[in-house]
């Protein structure tokens, strides 16, 4: 309806300009009696002042109708430039400095080792902060989705946004991740920016951050165990079990409940709900890969147990162990 009103006002302005400008054209370019109209090229070529007047009229008409949107963009730029952008840039600089420090401290290690140390640090920090916001500071995301952002939520989102920008740039530069992980990082960045720009829905975005990062330290521990040669041990099995259990229970189970509350609530914007569906779909894509990994590892463990059991039976002869 707003666009229709804008179109009608623009058409009315053009007609008024036509009635004002027609007497200024000679018969070479405008023959009113024959119903012919002057071309735009001819107006700007032979009558530049008239062309500039048309541009000024159109600009005035568009601005008078679209000024609320203009001032919204100005407000967004003002807020981002004065408050949010410095926080995000400081966060990005902090994570980059931490990465450089890890690279200097671990010169005998790969760049991925240092990057995963940064990821592990962010995972622990974001879990603690998002848990404090969700369980103590509030509001509760299952009952108050779409609520205005609190100052603490804004600080945590800016901190996390700087990390995701760093990690996405690192993954693209070193080409270490597949399309699914890049899509997850991109959706996370867009979701955080959306919550910061709107000034609301930080409650559910913080809850999604908690659910996404709660399995991150375990994933990094698994990688470090593989790099140091301690993965095929009892510790590695415990890490894998906790990772699969938390991912299934929190990101899939609790995530489904959070998505349902988000969809039935009238407060969040429709594009916020679309973003929630996209993030949950990405979680399911990860879940299929994790379940396949868990199934293959379980089958491998079962066969190893059967093989070890058969070896123990073969070592026994008439109730006595074979001599070595």
């Amino acid at each position: 309806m707003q666009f229709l009103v804008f179109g009608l006002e623009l058409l009315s302005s053009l007609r008024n300009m036509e009635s004002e400008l027609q007497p200024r054209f000679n018969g070479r370019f405008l023959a009113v009696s024959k119903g012919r109209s002057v071309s735009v090229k001819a107006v700007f070529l032979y009558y530049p002042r008239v062309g500039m007047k048309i541009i000024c009229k159109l600009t005035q008409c568009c601005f008078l109708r679209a000024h609320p949107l203009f001032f919204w963009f100005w407000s967004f730029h003002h807020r981002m430039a004065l408050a949010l952008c410095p926080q995000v840039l400081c966060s990005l600089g902090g994570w980059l400095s931490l990465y450089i420090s890890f690279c200097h401290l671990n010169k005998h290690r790969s760049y991925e080792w240092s990057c995963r140390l940064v990821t592990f640090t962010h995972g622990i920090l974001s879990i603690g902060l998002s848990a404090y916001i969700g369980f103590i500071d509030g509001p509760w995301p299952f009952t108050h989705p779409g609520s205005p952002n609190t100052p603490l939520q804004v600080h945590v989102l800016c901190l996390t946004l700087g990390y995701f920008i760093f990690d996405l740039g690192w993954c693209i530069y070193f080409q270490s991740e597949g399309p699914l992980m890049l899509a997850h990082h991109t959706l996370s960045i867009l979701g955080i920016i959306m919550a910061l720009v709107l000034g609301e829905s930080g409650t559910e975005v913080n809850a999604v951050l908690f659910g996404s990062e709660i399995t991150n330290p375990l994933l990094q521990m698994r990688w470090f165990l593989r790099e140091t040669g301690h993965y095929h041990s009892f510790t590695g099995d415990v890490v894998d079990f906790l990772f699969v259990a938390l991912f299934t229970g929190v990101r899939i189970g609790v995530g489904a409940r959070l998505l349902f509350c988000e969809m039935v609530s009238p407060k969040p914007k429709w594009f916020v709900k679309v973003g929630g569906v996209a993030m949950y779909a990405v979680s399911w894509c990860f879940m299929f890969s994790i379940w396949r990994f868990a199934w293959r590892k379980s089958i491998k463990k079962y066969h190893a147990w059967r093989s070890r059991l058969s070896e123990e039976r073969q070592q026994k002869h008439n109730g006595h162990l074979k001599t070595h």
Side-chain angles (χ1 to χ4, degrees):
M1 183 60 68
Q2 295 291 334
F3 289 104
L4 180 59
V5 175
F6 171 68
L8 292 177
E9 292 186 0
L10 180 60
L11 181 61
S12 177
S13 300
L14 289 175
R15 288 178 178 177
N16 293 334
M17 284 188 291
E18 181 183 4
S19 62
E20 294 177 4
L21 297 175
Q22 275 186 357
R24 303 185 60 177
F25 294 107
N26 55 18
R28 183 179 177 184
F29 299 104
L30 184 63
V32 180
S33 59
K34 295 182 179 181
R36 289 180 298 174
S37 60
V38 66
S39 64
V40 176
K41 181 179 179 181
V43 171
F44 286 94
L45 182 62
Y46 296 98
Y47 298 93
R49 293 183 180 179
V50 176
M52 291 303 298
K53 186 175 181 180
I54 293 175
I55 293 177
C56 292
K57 288 284 187 179
L58 290 176
T59 304
Q60 182 182 7
C61 178
C62 294
F63 177 78
L64 290 177
R65 192 60 201 166
H67 71 278
L69 184 62
F70 172 80
F71 283 116
W72 184 87
F73 276 112
W74 182 89
S75 176
F76 159 68
H77 172 76
H78 181 72
R79 287 185 298 157
M80 289 293 289
L82 295 182
L84 302 182
C85 281
Q87 293 187 45
V88 176
L89 291 177
C90 289
S91 173
L92 177 60
W95 295 116
L96 186 59
S97 300
L98 184 62
Y99 170 72
I100 295 174
S101 301
F102 283 142
C103 289
H104 283 291
L105 293 175
N106 301 277
K107 295 181 179 180
H108 60 288
R109 299 290 185 178
S110 63
Y111 291 121
E112 187 174 1
W113 180 281
S114 300
C115 183
R116 288 187 178 269
L117 283 176
V118 175
T119 303
F120 181 82
T121 304
H122 170 263
I124 296 296
L125 186 61
S126 61
I127 289 172
L129 292 175
S130 58
Y132 175 80
I133 292 174
F135 294 101
I136 299 176
D137 190 66
W140 186 239
F142 295 97
T143 56
H144 296 82
S147 301
N149 299 341
T150 64
L152 183 58
Q153 289 175 354
V154 172
H155 294 325
V156 173
L157 292 180
C158 289
L159 179 69
T160 303
L161 179 58
Y163 162 75
F164 275 119
I165 293 175
F166 157 77
D167 200 42
L168 179 62
W170 192 95
C171 293
I172 294 175
Y173 181 80
F174 288 95
Q175 298 180 356
S176 60
E177 299 293 343
L180 188 59
M181 182 60 71
L182 295 180
H184 172 266
H185 277 47
T186 304
L187 287 174
S188 300
I189 292 173
L190 294 177
I192 294 173
I193 292 176
M194 180 176 57
L196 291 175
V197 170
L198 292 175
E200 61 184 33
S201 295
T203 303
E204 55 265 38
V205 173
N206 176 80
V208 172
L209 175 64
F210 174 79
S212 300
E213 294 298 322
I214 195 171
T215 56
N216 197 301
L218 294 172
L219 184 63
Q220 308 312 317
M221 288 175 60
R222 180 177 180 271
W223 187 88
F224 288 128
L225 288 174
R226 291 180 67 91
E227 288 293 308
T228 55
H230 297 89
Y231 175 69
H232 299 288
S233 61
F234 177 74
T235 304
D237 295 338
V238 172
V239 169
D240 283 342
F241 174 77
L242 291 176
F243 175 76
V244 175
L246 283 176
F247 198 101
T248 305
V250 177
R251 293 191 64 166
I252 301 301
V254 181
R257 176 62 180 174
L258 179 63
L259 182 62
F260 174 78
C261 296
E262 179 82 7
M263 297 301 291
V264 299
S265 177
K267 290 184 179 181
K269 302 290 191 300
W270 65 269
F271 44 85
V272 177
K273 297 180 179 181
V274 172
V277 173
M279 284 294 294
Y280 191 69
V282 170
S283 297
W284 266 105
C285 293
F286 282 123
M287 191 73 259
F288 287 137
S289 301
I290 292 171
W291 279 346
R292 286 199 301 266
F293 156 76
W295 175 257
R296 289 196 300 266
K297 184 170 184 178
S298 299
I299 294 298
K300 186 182 296 185
K301 289 288 184 180
Y302 174 74
H303 287 308
W305 175 76
R306 290 291 301 271
S307 177
R308 186 168 58 252
L309 185 62
S310 64
E311 289 179 0
E312 291 178 357
R313 290 177 178 178
Q314 290 177 1
Q315 289 177 357
K316 295 180 180 180
H317 181 70
N318 294 329
H320 300 281
L321 292 175
K322 289 184 177 181
T323 58
H324 295 282

